[in-house]
Structure formats: structure tokens, C-alpha cells
Amino acid sequence: MELSFSFVIPVYNRPIEIEELLESFLKIKGQTAFEIVIVEDGSTITSKSIVDNYIDKLDISYYFKQNSGPGDSRNFGMQHAKGNYYIILDSDCLLPSHYLQEVEASLKLNYVDCFGGPDKAHHSFTNLQKAIDFSMTSVITTGGIRGNKTSLDKFQPRSFNMGLSKKAFNATKGFGNIHPGEDPDLSIRLWDLGFNTMLIPEAYVYHKRRISWSKFYKQVNKFGSVRPILNTWHPQTKKVTYWFPTLFTLGVIVAIILAMLNLILPLYLVLFYYCLVFLVAFIKTKNIVIAFQSILAVSIQFFGYGYGFLKSTLLLFLKSEKPETIFPHLFFKN
């Protein structure tokens, strides 16, 4: 099958991000033709004028629709795309120039109907963005699972950098209305239908994540909250590793209490881990400020995810209602 690529990008009130992303498209290497489908998800600050500036430079289609969430907007974009292989990106990403070459070469060598790529921090990112990137991608945090090509478990692509064939989209009807969590839900449904997923390590994106510390906490808290819902929908995917952030959070609390009772060893173990975080972050970034901020980022990641996971697990166990009723803020009404 000859591949024809369509990049599908939902956007909500972020025209500056779209401009930066489109600029990175201008630097894409290779002779492979591609189209870009921008889906404006009910924005009050639209990207239309930005997109118009690139009409003569790139093959772009622009659509405006009522707000219904990123999953439904991606589905909308895939329904209107011309290609037979869709590449889904978040608007806060930048593409390295070799991106499409890596994707095409990998799919020609080992074709799959769904792939994912990792994310990295660009040199132009702020210290905060680099610290959050470290916590989300490092092998010494739970974030490392997303980009680990040696993992024994099946790889679950994430929708900030994800490829999906037209065949797989038609078979699954695309993303559901849960958010976040719509991407692992889609991956699991693909597996159930016999499709394979794959990580393409060199098809990475620079994921900007324009968020503050408080927004980062809300994000990872939602990540933790949706996982028990996915475990309920797809019980075959339950893993003890999903409990690690909760256990770490409880362990820190217990260590502090024991230290007040003059039992110091558990607290020393916690401090050793944070020293390891600092050291690995400093070696990676060569920036002492980012290394210190990485300690805070990892703490927020573990505590936010762990608390969300525990609370969601208890509510699903104690209540007989559907997840949509218990957690209405995690679902979009299409």
C-alpha cells in the first residue's frame, strides 16, 4: 500500500502555537507529500488568520466546529482528511526536520496500523518546561514508560504524537469522549480488534507544554483519575505499576511521620531518591536550576497522579454509578 499522510491537529485558543508548529512544517525534509488538517475546536481566539498566512506554502485545510473536546476534534479531522494514514499532533508540539522521513522509513520496514513517538524538550524551552519534560520522560519516573522501546509491555501511543491508519480509524471509529485517557482507550480497543501498535523512537516531537505548576498538577491528577476508569472498561490491562505513584505518595507521608517518632531510615530513602532525581536531571540538562525544579516536577507528578488514582479507585468501588456520572469533568459531550 502506498502511504499518503495527513497531519491532524486540533487547536483551542492557541493561535501562536499553530504558527510555531506550521513554521516547523516548512523545515520538513524529504520528497513525501503531506497535507495538514487544522480543526478549530470552538475557539474564541481562532487560528484562521495564522493558517491563511501559510496557505501558499503548505497544503492546509482549516475547519471550525463547536467545542466538543480534542478526541472528537481529531475524529472530525480524520473524517475530512484525504490521506490513508493520519498523524495526530497536539498544537503545542514542534517537529524536527527528519520526522516524516523516520515515520515513512519505519512503516515501510515494519508496517503497523498505529504508532507513537516520544517527546523531547527543545533548547528554546523555558527551565520550567524542561523540568516538566524531565519528569514526564525520565526512566527514573513513571513518565519513562511512554518512551521506553525496551518495555516488555505493549506500547500505548499518546495523541500528542500518534499515527493511525484509515483502516484502523474506520474499524474503531476513533477516539472516545473521555479526556484525558482517550488515547490509551483507543490503543486497547485496537489490540482487541487485532491491530498492532509500535513505538518509533526517532519520530519524536518537541512537546512545549505551556503550563504552570498548578496546571501541571491538574493535568497529572486527571491522568491518575482516568486510569481506574480504563481499568474498569478494560480489566485485562490492569497492572500493579499503576499503583506506584500512590504507594510513593503514601510512603513519603509515612516516612515523615516515622521521622517524627525518631525512625529516620525511611526518610533517608526518600531523600536518596530525590538526590538521584537531582543528579540525573543535572547530567541531562547541565543546568542546576532545572535540576532543582525537576525535584518539584517529579513530586507534583507522583502526588498529583497518585492522589487522583487513589480517589478515583475508591469512588468507583464505593459507588454504583457510571464513570460519566461520578466524573463528569473527565468526559466531553459530543
Side-chain angles (χ1 to χ4, degrees), residues 136-166:
M136 296 291 285
T137 62
S138 174
V139 295
I140 65 170
T141 73
T142 58
I145 297 172
R146 295 182 305 135
N148 186 0
K149 62 183 177 182
T150 61
S151 175
L152 296 177
D153 196 15
K154 291 182 178 180
F155 181 72
Q156 296 183 7
R158 292 295 187 264
S159 53
F160 65 83
N161 180 14
M162 180 180 189
L164 186 70
S165 72
K166 184 175 182 179

Side-chain angles (χ1 to χ4, degrees), residues 201-247:
E202 295 306 317
Y204 58 84
V205 299
Y206 299 113
H207 199 181
K208 201 151 194 176
R209 295 190 181 93
R210 283 194 175 91
I211 53 179
S212 62
W213 291 120
S214 61
K215 289 180 179 178
F216 180 51
Y217 174 83
K218 291 178 182 178
Q219 182 186 63
V220 293
N221 183 259
K222 284 186 175 181
F223 288 160
S225 297
V226 301
R227 180 53 67 175
I229 298 174
L230 298 177
N231 290 345
T232 301
W233 290 350
H234 311 287
Q236 75 277 17
T237 64
K238 289 182 179 179
K239 292 191 300 183
V240 68
T241 51
Y242 296 140
W243 281 94
F244 284 179
T246 301
L247 296 176

Side-chain angles (χ1 to χ4, degrees), residues 273-292:
Y273 174 73
Y274 279 125
C275 288
L276 182 63
V277 168
F278 176 87
L279 179 62
V280 175
F282 181 73
I283 292 173
K284 178 181 178 180
T285 65
K286 297 178 176 58
N287 186 310
I288 195 170
V289 175
I290 298 174
F292 277 115

Side-chain angles (χ1 to χ4, degrees), residues 108-126:
K108 285 183 177 180
L109 180 66
N110 182 22
Y111 180 82
V112 292
D113 286 282
C114 180
F115 76 86
D119 54 335
K120 295 186 177 183
H122 193 265
H123 64 84
S124 65
F125 288 4
T126 66

